[in-house]
Amino acid sequence: MVVLRDGMCPGLSEELVVALRAADITTVEDLVSSDTEDLAQKCSVSYKALLAIRRVLLAQHTAFPVSGADLYEDLLSSTAILSTGNPSLDKLLDSGLYTGELTELAGGPGSGKTQVCFGVAVNISYQLKQSVIYVDSTGGLSASRLLQMLQAKSCNIEEQMEALQRIQVFPVFDIFSLLGCLHHFRCVGLQQASAGGGSVKAVIVDSVSAVISPILGGKQNEGMSMMTQVAGLLKTIAKDFNVAVLVTNTVTRDGNGQLKAGLGQTWSHVPRIRILLQRLERPGSTCSSVRTATLAKSSRQPCHLKEEFDLQCWGRSEEQLYGMSGKRKHTEPS
Amino acid sequence: MQRDISSYAIAPSVKVKLLNAGFLSAADLCDLRPLQLSKEACISQEEAVEVLQAVRCESGQERAAAGRLTALELLGREQELGTIVTFCSALDMALGGGMPVGKTTEVCGAPGVGKTQLCIQLSVDAQIPVCFGGLGGKSLYIDTEGSFLVQRAVDLAQAAVDHCGLLAEDSEQQEALKGFTVETILSNLFLVRCHDYVELLAETYLLPDFLAQHPGVRLVVIDSIAFSFRHDFEDLSQRTRLLNGLAQRLIQMATNHNVAVILTNQMTTKVWSGQSKLVPALGESWGHAATQRLILHWEGTHRLASLYKSPSQREATVPYQITGQGFRDAPPSDQPKASDDPSVRQSGSLSKRPRTEEDQSTRT
């Protein structure tokens, strides 16, 4: 519904807008769907002029179809796969985070979602030397932990500082700030928004449920609309700028007591890949850093694949990591 | 690419009227005057002025980019902010120096395990002068249970002053000690009493103004969040929503005003597949609210503190005790087998400033 204003296209003058409004035509849709001849008579305007205006407005406001082959070529040339830095997670994700897609990490408190986000950010900024945008809505971003992870990868202080500079942090604590921030990215582009070296390859939002759950439910009727706006913006950013978007979410229990990701059915259609993180309930080891990741939704792999991984793997150097990989257990789907 | 009207912070009834009048995006509004807008959308002039202010302020899009910083700058800021010691060196080491400023920490525990003692101790410790390794700030204590006892605060303040008195070496510290007395500690401790959840929520809305007027405040303690929210709530989903909104406001306040926020929570029993477990109250979604979570529990006659959730520290369990002088380390002779002892030593975080060492001789 776009309101007709004078100057929108050549030939649409103020008097014509007033005349159209008198004939009950206020928006572009009304103009395009009405009978042009009839309208020309009512507003005492030439049929040709009205037809020309209609054509220009249609050209301005229609969507353009793209052929499947072009889309496929585009996808092949522009998609990149970003490794998370953890071989088990990469296996679950079919070798890493795909750009142009939204991946979701869901888990209870203390299950490691923020640590995985840190690990991904560090891996992209240090190994791949690309920028990362980190939108933090829980206050959980700890730069000292990022530095710790970088120190395990390299002893060169300059490299560590450079890698830290490639991670841009945007603190947002309510839904309107988040929408403003995402709009800002969409309008000025991620390069300008990040102003760091290298191109932005990933946008991490930790966590999306913290800002959305206070407005969902009860007598509030705006919650769902805001949630879908966030979803739309994230997907557009992922597609238009060719970045991988990683979001974190909480978990709830459904009727049978099974864990499922939070924010409801509507949100469950938004991410392309969904991973559920859980602590391992092993008797005897209360403070362990091992977590299980279950693939709950994926467009490339069969669901319910499970992997175990250690949260400390990002804090270890490469030799320790690959030396240990032989001993790590992998649970196979039955 | 214009921003939808529905994504601005405008009242829902006004939004509906704007949408019905055909205004969909910010571009439609940008060159209108308030009088024109109020006529076309049938809203009052004040509402029209508010709408235009909201739209124009955001369209500069400075606010979105204003808060951003690189991780390197954030690192510098974190190091500047410092931590608040708890006077229990094992716990301080597990926490990476103490309670972090600029983050929210939740302290959960069964009754009598020491949550209020820890809160009063932190309110005193936040005021330790900078030259002794403290923050030299003020504290705000929001009491919902009525468990704050002034006499206990006096005891803890006296112990802290004596401790610093023993440590004072050079003239700067002697000078600072003159300003660090029981009277000044108590006068820099602001106390608010809330009787139900409505008062508590109202207080959190008023807090940003209070913190702007008193920029020296470094600690806000809410003891306890659970008490007001566990009684008289029929609609549990409303409770979850209110708590989530509260958590977001608290973390926003902690970040914008550089304060440490400590929340106290109670424990409840969860029956799960035939077994019962003691878990923190207020539900599973509340577990995500605080940045760090500390669970205090008993093991026989010993008190243990477990760091359950933290973005920068590893999980650890340390023993502690409550003495006449406050929150202290457990005596080394009868320390129980605290799990993950080696991990406590190699917490690996950056040690930022000279720590106030535990002086065994001050204990009677």
Side-chain angles (χ1 to χ4, degrees), chain A residues 5 14 34 63 108-110 123 137 142 172 201-202 244-245 247 270 316 323:
Chain A
R5 297 219 166 277
E14 178 74 41
S34 62
N123 199 54
S137 72
S142 159
V172 289
K201 273 291 167 235
V245 177
V247 299
V270 173
R316 293 208 196 103

Side-chain angles (χ1 to χ4, degrees), chain B residues 287-310:
Chain B
H288 299 274
T291 316
Q292 267 189 340
R293 191 176 239 189
L294 199 61
I295 300 189
L296 308 179
H297 54 108
W298 293 95
E299 183 129 329
T301 53
H302 303 289
R303 295 175 149 103
L304 297 177
S306 300
L307 185 63
Y308 185 81
K309 173 189 161 187
S310 166

Side-chain angles (χ1 to χ4, degrees), chain A residues 82-103:
Chain A
L82 309 167
S83 160
T84 58
N86 182 320
S88 318
L89 269 185
D90 282 347
K91 196 166 149 188
L92 213 58
L93 289 168
D94 194 20
S95 61
L97 296 170
Y98 280 59
T99 57
E101 278 184 10
L102 224 146
T103 312

Side-chain angles (χ1 to χ4, degrees), chain A residues 133 168 170 184-185 188-196 200, chain B residues 65 68:
Chain A
I133 289 191
Q168 284 279 334
F170 287 81
H184 176 69
F185 293 157
V188 308
L190 289 178
Q191 300 311 118
Q192 236 168 311
S194 81
V200 178
Chain B
R68 73 134 185 251

Side-chain angles (χ1 to χ4, degrees), chain A residues 122-321:
Chain A
V122 159
N123 199 54
I124 295 178
S125 85
Y126 179 73
Q127 295 293 140
L128 307 176
K129 306 256 186 300
Q130 304 291 339
S131 296
V132 177
I133 289 191
Y134 197 107
V135 179
D136 180 28
S137 72
T138 55
L141 182 65
S142 159
S144 38
R145 174 69 179 141
L146 290 175
L147 182 65
Q148 210 179 48
M149 288 177 164
L150 282 169
Q151 278 168 344
K153 290 197 188 281
S154 126
C155 306
N156 185 340
I157 297 203
E158 250 200 52
E159 277 180 18
Q160 292 166 10
M161 298 299 134
E162 263 177 33
L164 277 183
Q165 271 197 316
R166 286 191 210 112
I167 303 178
Q168 284 279 334
V169 179
F170 287 81
V172 289
F173 298 111
D174 61 276
I175 185 70
F176 299 109
S177 319
L178 178 63
L179 284 170
C181 195
L182 292 177
H183 261 284
H184 176 69
F185 293 157
R186 203 170 148 217
C187 291
V188 308
L190 289 178
Q191 300 311 118
Q192 236 168 311
S194 81
S199 56
V200 178
K201 273 291 167 235
V203 174
I204 304 180
V205 183
D206 177 24
S207 80
V208 84
S209 54
V211 287
I212 295 183
S213 39
I215 55 170
L216 275 184
K219 295 209 185 86
Q220 302 166 107
N221 40 20
E222 286 207 304
M224 298 284 268
S225 121
M226 303 236 148
M227 185 167 81
T228 36
Q229 280 180 44
V230 170
L233 281 169
L234 286 174
K235 284 192 162 178
T236 320
I237 290 175
K239 259 273 164 297
D240 288 349
F241 300 119
N242 266 321
V243 293
V245 177
L246 181 65
V247 299
T248 61
N249 194 1
T250 53
V251 283
T252 53
R253 290 199 184 263
D254 65 10
N256 304 330
Q258 290 290 345
L259 272 185
K260 62 171 188 180
L263 289 182
Q265 284 272 40
T266 316
W267 182 263
S268 69
H269 298 286
V270 173
R272 184 79 71 88
I273 314 270
R274 183 174 256 184
I275 294 187
L276 232 56
L277 292 176
Q278 278 169 281
R279 280 174 179 257
L280 266 187
E281 294 292 328
R282 273 208 201 114
S285 73
T286 42
C287 296
S288 117
S289 56
V290 184
R291 301 286 184 269
T292 46
T294 314
L295 196 61
K297 176 183 176 193
S298 166
S299 50
R300 279 182 290 272
Q301 307 241 64
C303 282
H304 309 299
L305 278 182
K306 240 191 189 149
E307 291 285 338
E308 272 181 25
F309 66 101
D310 193 339
L311 284 180
Q312 293 173 27
C313 81
W314 283 287
R316 293 208 196 103
S317 61
E318 298 237 339
E319 310 90 53
Q320 288 176 318
L321 195 63

